[in-house]
Amino acid sequence: MKSVEIPKPDGKGIRLLGIPTVRDRVIQQAIYQVLNPLFDGEFSQSSYGFREGRNAHQALKKSGEYIKGGKDIVVDIDLEKFFDRVNHDRLMHSLSQKIGDKMLLGLIRRYLQSGILTGGLLSQRTEGTPQGSPLSPLLSNIVLDELDKELEKRGHQFCRYADDCNIYVRTRKSGERVMESIGKFIEDRLKLKINRQKSKVVPSGETKFLGYRIVKDGILTISPVNINRLKDKIRKITTRNRGVSLKLIISDLNSMLRGWLQYFRFSKWLGRSRES
């Protein structure tokens, strides 16, 4: 598996992707098609990432409903380097509850432990699921479904998209209790790590979820961070020293803006939202 580095959206640091060979990608996609029907039907209704028929806009709509209903304090949990820290033994145990084929389980473990080629050097993987693998999104949902089930058991209202999880409560005091107890569950039970600096308990309008900011009455607005990122992208596309034709600049700009406007079409900042 070859490593590829891409900059993180916030511009701070890089994200390491593991790109499988063509043969491995085909095999992993075949495994995914077998495993997904076994697991997806039992995933939480509050899980929206990497699932057929579910998307970020649905998660945002449900979050807005919780906030409009009075639960406008957000327990915003940030998992530190989630994809790099997944515990292989716990994941394999979860898989073995539904998969009886030991050869298949062994193949999945080998993919989890496959080395990553970086700068000509092969590094062995002892934990984590490589981003870029067709299996990784499903495996991440299997890992975090245990968190979903725990939150449901405790009666919490929440939305999770991949490793981005927001829990909605009525008061800051209750939010702090939830942060403490759920943080302990994540670290002690799931063997993952909470990023204490980025995790917070705040009014809904003071944090962002999936690029949006949701104000107290449940209205979606664009987070200032994403507006600044848009400006940066426009500057990079239209810079004078790119050495490309005006026609190409306009084409690149139109393409980027169409995607951006499509994603943020529900924001009040762009006017009245419409149902998709």
Side-chain angles (χ1 to χ4, degrees):
M1 184 177 294
K2 183 180 179 181
S3 68
V4 175
E5 296 179 350
I6 61 172
K8 291 184 177 181
D10 58 8
K12 299 177 181 178
I14 59 170
R15 179 173 288 123
L16 186 66
L17 301 184
I19 308 300
T21 64
V22 174
R23 182 185 65 179
D24 286 344
R25 179 172 289 277
V26 170
I27 295 173
Q28 289 182 37
Q29 185 63 39
I31 294 173
Y32 168 84
Q33 291 175 348
V34 171
L35 296 189
N36 191 56
L38 292 177
F39 288 92
D40 188 81
E42 296 185 9
F43 285 158
S44 169
Q45 290 300 303
S46 297
S47 167
Y48 294 88
F50 308 130
R51 300 180 61 191
E52 285 187 28
R54 303 179 74 79
N55 57 51
H57 289 145
Q58 292 171 340
L60 289 160
K61 180 180 179 182
K62 179 57 70 173
S63 297
E65 291 174 4
Y66 292 148
I67 291 168
K68 188 175 182 179
K71 294 192 173 183
D72 57 350
I73 299 296
V74 181
V75 182
D76 186 352
I77 297 176
D78 186 276
L79 298 178
E80 186 174 292
K81 296 182 178 179
F82 166 72
F83 286 93
D84 296 330
R85 295 184 183 274
V86 169
N87 184 282
H88 288 176
D89 291 337
R90 296 200 82 263
L91 173 55
M92 293 308 302
H93 175 74
S94 297
L95 290 169
S96 68
Q97 301 304 298
K98 287 184 174 293
I99 303 171
D101 190 326
K102 292 184 177 180
M103 288 185 64
L104 178 55
L105 289 171
L107 180 59
I108 294 172
R109 183 179 277 276
R110 285 198 292 274
Y111 277 129
L112 287 172
Q113 296 177 336
S114 62
I116 295 183
L117 189 65
T118 306
L121 299 176
L122 187 67
S123 59
Q124 198 64 35
R125 181 181 289 272
T126 58
E127 61 180 359
T129 62
Q131 295 186 69
S133 159
L135 269 178
S136 188
L138 174 61
L139 296 180
S140 68
N141 272 334
I142 291 172
V143 170
L144 291 175
D145 185 60
E146 193 169 350
L147 170 62
D148 297 342
K149 296 297 192 290
E150 181 67 18
L151 290 171
E152 290 175 342
K153 187 173 73 174
R154 299 186 187 193
H156 291 306
Q157 292 183 322
F158 68 98
C159 289
R160 181 178 65 79
Y161 191 96
D163 58 333
D164 198 348
C165 182
N166 279 0
I167 307 167
Y168 302 92
V169 297
R170 293 187 183 277
T171 67
R172 188 184 294 270
K173 187 174 181 179
S174 61
E176 290 170 351
R177 287 199 302 266
V178 170
M179 176 68 81
E180 181 64 27
S181 61
I182 291 300
K184 183 175 176 59
F185 174 84
I186 289 171
E187 295 188 334
D188 293 350
R189 182 71 176 273
L190 301 186
K191 308 302 181 186
L192 298 170
K193 186 172 178 60
I194 297 287
N195 187 324
R196 300 290 177 179
Q197 292 183 328
K198 292 185 177 181
S199 297
K200 51 190 176 290
V201 178
V202 292
S204 61
E206 296 180 16
T207 188
K208 65 183 178 69
F209 183 48
L210 302 175
Y212 281 81
R213 185 171 60 179
I214 311 175
V215 296
K216 190 170 183 177
D217 53 1
I219 292 176
L220 299 177
T221 63
I222 305 173
S223 74
V225 171
N226 283 82
I227 293 176
N228 290 333
R229 286 178 188 166
L230 173 66
K231 293 177 181 178
D232 288 340
K233 289 178 180 178
I234 292 174
R235 278 192 287 266
K236 288 179 181 178
I237 291 175
T238 58
T239 184
R240 293 182 178 180
N241 60 5
R242 278 189 70 193
V244 298
S245 67
L246 178 60
K247 183 177 180 180
L248 182 58
I249 290 174
I250 293 173
S251 176
D252 290 346
L253 190 61
N254 284 339
S255 177
M256 186 275 293
L257 287 175
R258 276 195 297 269
W260 195 89
L261 291 169
Q262 174 67 15
Y263 183 75
F264 287 106
R265 68 188 184 276
F266 295 105
S267 171
K268 186 179 180 182
W269 187 76
L270 294 176
R272 184 178 298 276
S273 64
R274 63 181 183 276
E275 295 295 331
S276 58

